[in-house]
Amino acid sequence: MLPPNVYDAEPIPVAARAEIERLLSSGDLFRYTAPANAPVTLLEQDFAALLGVRYALAVSSCSAALFLSLKALDLPRGARVVIPAFTFAAVPSAIVHADCTPVLCETGANYRIDLDHFRQILDSGVEAVMISHMRGHTSDMDAILAEAAARGLPVIEDAAHSLGTTWRGTPIGTLGDIGCYSFQSYKLLNAGEGGILVSNDANLIARAVIMSGAYEHNWAKHGTDAALEAAFLRWQNALPLYNLRLGNLSAAVIRPQLAELARRVRDGRRNHDHVAQRLNVSPWIDVPEKLALEERAPDSIQFNLIGLNDTDVAAFTEAAAARGIKVQVFGASQDNARAFWNWRFLGEPPDLPQTRAMLMKACYVRLPARLTVAECDLIAEAILRAAQEVMGNLRAFGT
Ligand SMILES: *Cc1c(COP(=O)(O)O)cnc(C)c1O
């Protein structure tokens, strides 16, 4: 059996075709052309209902959503915003884009925020908290929300890659003041590009809607509750228009995928947990446990190599590649966008030994929901044998 292809996306549900055909024949591609019920508006309504939040705003990417979240909070220029040091380069970039300053917090071997360092950073003075639930690994949200609330700090959740994950049964991205999700192709809902932000706060969402490009009275197409309307009237003409809107075609691609979400979450979790259980048998591999209050929606697996030095790590990824499985190590390539020392646009990288040590040993392999358990077994087998080959033989010769 050949190793499975873990890169291809799932086909877009056939239900999208009729709507796309209708949009192509009418040319109705802009969200604000129709008087009501544009595909983007319907996507926002469906998404908000699915997550149980009051408001959603669809935009051009999750990065745009993160940028608009910071702008919606009206932070002063240069405001310090704490983020986990284990995240994607787009996150500190969104902060720089909003004229704020990212402050990197240590993350542990379990990929989650180190709460002692987090408290230290909050005490050193920050104006907002932006939590990336990186690859669906949820940091302790009870602790984070409590620490932020005690200091009156707003919390933005970067749930780009965590749609479907819950904390105490509540969807990740709906716990803080604003949550942001991605529709880029490697995330759970695929439109090529796109993003969405959610909030229960009428003032924040009104500011984000206007700045996303709801010029003149287009905000009226975002709903009519009294709190929202009052907020729109407050901010009309007072804010810049950054034009980060989503188009109708993208919305038409995403909407029918919402019905697929539960299946993708269920099968992705099954695949992840199956491979995790197999890998954890190896003395050289550790898949960190999820936190007790978290239910995950993984589409990849992360694991740490135990007792391997940098040469062993390289030999291990080569041995896995020879078996047809591409294992990436976050810190091992020259250009990995999730290694904080590669974010040279921030200047000299801070000294974060714990996160650095984790990134040098943390591997990842995509495990899309469409894989069968048999295909997952092939992946697990290749990883186990690669570790055995590199470490088992070394041990035998070394003793
Ligand atoms: C993908 C991703 C982003 C960026 O999303 P875009 O829609 O591509 O801008 C941000 N944060 C995390 C954790 C991501 O995985």
Side-chain angles (χ1 to χ4, degrees), residues 110-126:
N110 69 353
Y111 319 126
R112 291 161 175 87
I113 285 206
D114 178 303
L115 288 169
D116 288 335
H117 193 222
F118 183 69
R119 287 186 196 101
Q120 264 177 43
I121 290 176
L122 294 198
D123 289 339
S124 76
V126 298

Side-chain angles (χ1 to χ4, degrees), residues 60-64 66 87-88 90-91 132-135 158-162 181-184 186-187 192-195 338:
S60 53
S61 68
C62 182
S63 299
L66 294 170
T87 186
F88 185 59
V91 176
S132 276
H133 303 293
M134 193 51 177
R135 298 288 170 109
D158 166 21
H161 214 148
S162 291
Y181 306 83
S182 175
F183 300 134
Q184 186 266 342
Y186 287 148
K187 316 298 162 98
E193 303 283 0
R338 300 144 202 99

Side-chain angles (χ1 to χ4, degrees), residues 169-247:
T170 304
I172 281 299
T174 70
L175 299 161
D177 297 276
I178 306 182
C180 303
Y181 306 83
S182 175
F183 300 134
Q184 186 266 342
S185 288
Y186 287 148
K187 316 298 162 98
L188 227 51
L189 301 176
N190 165 26
E193 303 283 0
I196 196 162
L197 65 89
V198 300
S199 180
N200 287 316
D201 184 317
N203 189 57
L204 291 179
I205 208 80
R207 288 176 56 87
V209 163
I210 289 177
M211 287 188 277
S212 77
Y215 61 93
E216 296 162 358
H217 268 60
N218 281 315
W219 49 257
K221 295 177 179 173
H222 283 264
T224 50
D225 78 61
L228 199 56
E229 194 165 338
F232 281 134
L233 290 170
R234 189 175 324 131
W235 296 113
Q236 169 82 70
N237 294 347
L239 299 168
L241 304 169
Y242 294 107
N243 282 9
L244 301 165
R245 295 174 300 252
L246 192 74

Side-chain angles (χ1 to χ4, degrees), residues 62-77:
C62 182
S63 299
L66 294 170
F67 165 77
L68 285 172
S69 300
L70 294 162
K71 285 291 180 187
L73 289 171
D74 204 11
L75 300 172
R77 189 176 288 259

